[in-house]
Amino acid sequence: MAKFVLAGKANCPYYAKAELLADYLQTNLPNFRVHKITQHPDKWEQWLHDICETNGWEHRKCPIIWRELLDRGGKGQLLGGLNDFLEHAQQYYGVTSMMLSEEMLDIAEENLQAHLEIEKEDEDIKSLIKPMQIWITSASVPICYHLIPLLANGEVFGVTTEISIHLLDTDQFKEILHGIVMEAEDMAFPLLRSISEHTKIDQAFIDADIIIVLDDVLLNLEVQSRENHIREVSEICQVYAPLIEKNAKSEVKVISSGKTFANLKATMLRTYGPSIKPENIIAIATSWESAAKATLARKLNMNTAGVKDVIVWGNISGSNYIDLSHAKLYGYESAIWGPPNFHRPLLNMIYDSEWIHSELQSAQSTLSSRVSHCTAVLPAHAVATVLRYWYHGSPSEEIVSVGILSEGQFCIPEGIFFSMPVRFQNGNWEVMTELEINEKTQKVLERLSHELVQEKLVALKEIDEMHPYEAE
């Protein structure tokens, strides 16, 4: 079979003549096929240059015609322009074109109008599909590398939602950002409209729908005091928050993640960005939740997916409390079986009470090490999971732990971001205030709250000391 590709400017009369001849041959010859590429006159020269450079051809006129070697593979075989095509048709098929110059001009004009209408229709369709704008800060970190495929595969926002990803970091990491962009483009995700790198902070967060803050500070208490580390976090948020208010959309969702000061970052973004809706800022605790469930599943010799409603209270990347008082087991092998939704209280199934009260509590240091030293797959999955819940709802009646701005729930002081149990539904979240907590848990929450309040006070003090006139 002979397959030809015919390309030219929409308003070119020679392209019109070649097109009419190709249509005639395709209609009357069973083994002749043609694929036509029509370019806007303003784009033709660049397009022709690029196609010739790619294939190593020398051709400078309109149209350009080549034969695709379907049975041999490799690049096509250049035939040439209109005269070459006319000669080929006459020699191989005994067919020629007798089109007059006036007819050629009329058809060229019709081609141009049709091409402009098609372009306008395509632009109108694209304008209706506005991609979700996602900004990721400190995008050179490994979490971002693992997060991009999770965001772009359609499972988080839905298979009909296109996204544009913006990677933000300093000039120091520009080469890493460029590499991530190229890899993401090569993966050709159908829902990834675009991915770009940014190193100019004043252009950050433009039209953002979602902002994922991955900035961390390198904790080294032997070199710097904790107060100095807190100051670094505050300075970062003091830069980001006004830009979010200025450049992002009014309903922007802000997610604080990372290995250090997740709660504090959320608190300071709210402090320095008072117009950001507080319900749209959350800190991710899912990594802790997942690690705790995995530890329990190993103890019970069961699938981790069957462990539900483990609550993470407090400071996500600091002192927190793993609460099992509401935890449930699904699909646990025991003497009593039921339907898939049948569950048993976890505390009733662990008969080793000493393990609960001693080993699990001491295991929190092990969990902390596991979470802080993970390779980035776990926190990336945690961010993607919470985003999916935020947009599509969490599993019915299942508890999810996230850091949110306290409004006094569970007697937690207002004004700090504190990890507590929530449920996601209809694009929002609500605190599960109906849950009962015992006296022991309440005392733990008081201690954890005090720690976060002090952390916030230190952050504000450090900034005030550095910028006394601004503070006034």
Side-chain angles (χ1 to χ4, degrees):
M1 176 181 290
K3 181 175 180 180
F4 288 84
V5 179
L6 170 63
K9 290 187 293 185
N11 64 345
C12 175
Y14 302 107
Y15 174 63
K17 185 170 185 175
E19 182 184 22
L20 196 65
L21 176 58
D23 288 342
Y24 176 85
L25 294 173
Q26 182 168 254
T27 302
N28 292 279
L29 299 175
N31 293 321
F32 185 96
R33 293 291 181 270
V34 64
H35 173 66
K36 291 178 281 187
I37 302 174
T38 306
Q39 291 291 327
H40 190 282
D42 295 340
K43 300 178 181 178
W44 166 252
E45 294 295 338
Q46 185 61 49
W47 184 90
L48 180 62
H49 174 270
D50 292 343
I51 196 71
C52 289
E53 187 175 83
T54 300
N55 292 281
W57 295 335
E58 287 290 337
H59 189 84
R60 294 292 178 265
K61 296 181 179 180
C62 176
I64 180 173
I65 303 163
W66 69 88
R67 181 175 178 180
E68 290 194 350
L69 306 177
L70 300 179
D71 55 340
R72 302 181 195 175
K75 66 181 182 181
Q77 180 180 17
L78 179 65
L79 183 62
L82 173 62
N83 291 335
D84 300 294
F85 186 45
L86 292 175
E87 183 179 337
H88 182 86
Q90 177 66 45
Q91 183 177 350
Y92 284 91
Y93 308 116
V95 178
T96 189
S97 173
M98 303 301 292
M99 182 184 292
L100 300 176
S101 298
E102 188 175 340
E103 292 178 288
M104 292 165 55
L105 292 171
D106 289 341
I107 293 176
E109 180 63 28
E110 291 177 6
N111 280 346
L112 178 59
Q113 293 302 318
H115 181 76
L116 293 175
E117 289 176 8
I118 291 171
E119 277 193 340
K120 185 177 184 306
E121 185 177 339
D122 289 343
E123 289 176 2
D124 290 342
I125 292 173
K126 288 181 179 179
S127 68
L128 296 174
I129 307 174
K130 295 182 179 179
M132 183 177 291
Q133 303 294 325
I134 303 172
W135 284 77
I136 305 176
T137 71
S138 195
S140 62
V141 300
I143 298 175
C144 177
Y145 187 84
H146 292 281
L147 180 59
I148 290 172
L150 300 177
L151 297 176
N153 65 14
E155 292 184 10
V156 173
F157 305 108
V159 295
T160 60
T161 302
E162 291 190 352
I163 65 173
S164 289
I165 297 177
H166 304 267
L167 308 179
L168 177 66
D169 216 317
T170 61
D171 278 322
Q172 177 184 355
F173 300 104
K174 188 172 184 178
E175 190 172 329
I176 295 176
L177 297 185
H178 187 63
I180 295 174
V181 168
M182 288 195 298
E183 281 200 59
E185 289 175 341
D186 289 344
M187 294 179 77
F189 293 106
L191 297 175
L192 183 59
R193 175 77 71 86
S194 64
I195 181 167
S196 55
E197 58 194 90
H198 303 266
T199 56
K200 297 186 182 301
I201 190 63
D202 58 320
Q203 298 176 4
F205 314 129
I206 292 176
D207 293 329
D209 292 290
I210 296 171
I211 298 171
I212 302 170
V213 180
L214 300 181
D215 296 73
D216 272 322
V217 297
L218 183 61
L219 285 178
N220 189 342
L221 298 178
E222 295 180 359
V223 177
Q224 288 193 71
S225 66
R226 185 174 179 83
E227 287 74 15
N228 284 337
H229 290 309
I230 289 175
R231 183 178 64 197
E232 287 183 46
V233 174
S234 294
E235 289 175 344
I236 291 169
C237 296
Q238 201 171 26
V239 172
Y240 285 168
L243 289 170
I244 294 173
E245 291 183 305
K246 176 185 175 182
N247 295 338
K249 294 179 181 175
S250 60
E251 295 293 329
V252 64
K253 290 178 169 59
V254 182
I255 288 181
S256 173
S257 184
K259 299 177 181 179
T260 59
F261 298 108
N263 294 57
L264 182 61
K265 283 185 290 186
T267 299
M268 301 316 292
L269 286 170
R270 170 60 182 162
T271 301
Y272 295 122
S275 68
I276 305 172
K277 294 186 176 180
E279 65 272 20
N280 283 358
I281 306 176
I282 64 174
I284 300 295
T286 317
S287 296
W288 270 97
E289 199 175 286
S290 299
K293 289 176 179 178
T295 300
L296 292 163
R298 284 192 292 271
K299 173 68 175 177
L300 295 165
N301 193 27
M302 64 176 293
N303 191 321
T304 305
V307 183
K308 307 288 186 183
D309 297 348
V310 173
I311 302 174
V312 178
W313 297 95
N315 191 351
I316 295 164
S317 48
S319 298
N320 55 55
Y321 173 62
I322 307 298
D323 182 3
L324 305 182
S325 59
H326 299 277
K328 304 178 184 67
L329 301 180
Y330 291 79
Y332 178 61
E333 293 187 9
S334 64
I336 302 176
W337 284 82
N341 61 349
F342 175 74
H343 60 267
R344 310 288 300 278
L346 181 143
L347 292 178
N348 291 353
M349 297 295 101
I350 297 183
Y351 297 101
D352 187 353
S353 59
E354 184 179 340
W355 185 86
I356 289 291
H357 296 295
S358 61
E359 288 194 37
L360 182 60
Q361 299 305 318
S362 63
Q364 283 199 241
S365 60
T366 304
L367 284 175
S368 178
S369 178
R370 289 169 63 87
V371 171
S372 61
H373 291 90
C374 61
T375 59
V377 175
L378 176 58
H381 179 265
V383 172
T385 299
V386 170
L387 274 173
R388 185 175 74 249
Y389 290 167
W390 209 341
Y391 279 85
H392 301 289
S394 54
S396 178
E397 301 302 321
E398 189 170 321
I399 297 174
V400 181
S401 300
V402 295
I404 55 103
L405 184 64
S406 170
E407 295 180 348
Q409 304 96 331
F410 305 106
C411 298
I412 297 166
E414 297 182 14
I416 58 171
F417 275 76
F418 197 93
S419 180
M420 61 182 78
V422 306
R423 66 168 65 88
F424 289 89
Q425 57 185 8
N426 302 321
N428 299 302
W429 52 261
E430 61 177 0
V431 180
M432 301 179 71
T433 52
E434 71 275 14
L435 294 179
E436 296 183 2
I437 58 175
N438 56 38
E439 185 177 347
K440 175 189 173 183
T441 300
Q442 189 64 63
K443 289 182 178 180
V444 173
L445 298 190
E446 290 175 9
R447 175 175 56 82
L448 298 177
S449 300
H450 178 74
E451 179 182 291
L452 283 168
V453 169
Q454 292 304 308
E455 195 172 81
K456 179 181 178 180
L457 290 175
V458 169
L460 293 173
K461 177 184 176 183
E462 291 292 331
I463 292 297
D464 288 347
E465 290 178 353
M466 288 190 64
H467 307 285
Y469 297 107
E470 293 179 16
E472 293 175 4

